[in-house]
Amino acid sequence: MHSLGMLVITTLRQSAKGLLLILSLTLLVSCGFKLRGQVELPPDMAVTYINVGGSPTTPPSPLGFALRRVLETNGAVVTTDPAEATANLVVLRDAVRRRLVAASRGGVDREYTLTYTVDYKVTRADGSPLVEDSVSLSRDLLYPDAAVLGREEGEAIILKAMRDDIAYSMLLRLQVAASS
C-alpha cells in the first residue's frame, strides 16, 4: 500500500509540473512574447564590410562584434576586405551618455539613465547609399544605497544588452529599406 501511495504522489507531481509548464507557455504567448525571427536583408548586404571607426588592422569594437554576430546569424557574410564587399556598413558615431536622475541624501548616486546612440550608414559597393540612420536606446538603472558593489558589472551587462538590441534594430531598418 505504501508504494501505491508514493506512485500516486509521483504522478500528481509530474501532472502539476506539466500543468505549470502549459500555464507558463500560455502566459508567454498571451503577453505577446515571441522569439526574434530572421531578418530579410537586402541582396546588397550578402557580403558586408563593417567599419566601426577603425582601420582594418584595428581590433573590432564591442559594437563591431555585435553587428558581425547579428549579420552572420541572418545570412550575411562579413568580410575584413572592403574590396570584396557588396555593402559597407559604417558606424559614424557610437556614444553612450549617462545622466544622473536621482541621488540619496548622502550624495550617493541612486538612479541613472543610460542612452546609447549609434549613427550609421550603409552603402552599396558602387558607393550609392542604401540607408543612413540613427538608433538610440535608453535604459534606467536604479541602485539601492546598499548596492554599491556590482554597479560597474551591472552597467556593463546592460550596455551589452543595449548594444545587441541596437545591432538588431539596425538590421530591422535595413529590412524595411529593402522592402521599400
Side-chain angles (χ1 to χ4, degrees), residues 1-9:
M1 183 71 178
H2 181 65
S3 61
L4 180 63
M6 292 301 290
L7 180 64
V8 170
I9 290 173

Side-chain angles (χ1 to χ4, degrees), residues 90-146:
V90 180
V91 174
L92 305 168
R93 182 173 69 119
D94 174 14
V96 177
R97 190 183 80 196
R98 180 186 303 123
R99 184 175 60 90
L100 178 64
V101 176
S104 67
R105 288 186 210 163
V108 177
D109 299 342
R110 301 237 14 238
E111 185 176 354
Y112 289 100
T113 297
L114 287 178
T115 304
Y116 197 136
T117 304
V118 174
D119 298 331
Y120 67 99
K121 69 178 179 178
V122 179
T123 57
R124 294 176 181 90
D126 64 6
S128 62
L130 187 60
V131 172
E132 186 164 349
D133 207 350
S134 179
V135 179
S136 186
L137 293 175
S138 292
R139 298 284 188 272
D140 293 328
L141 295 141
L142 180 62
Y143 295 108
D145 284 336

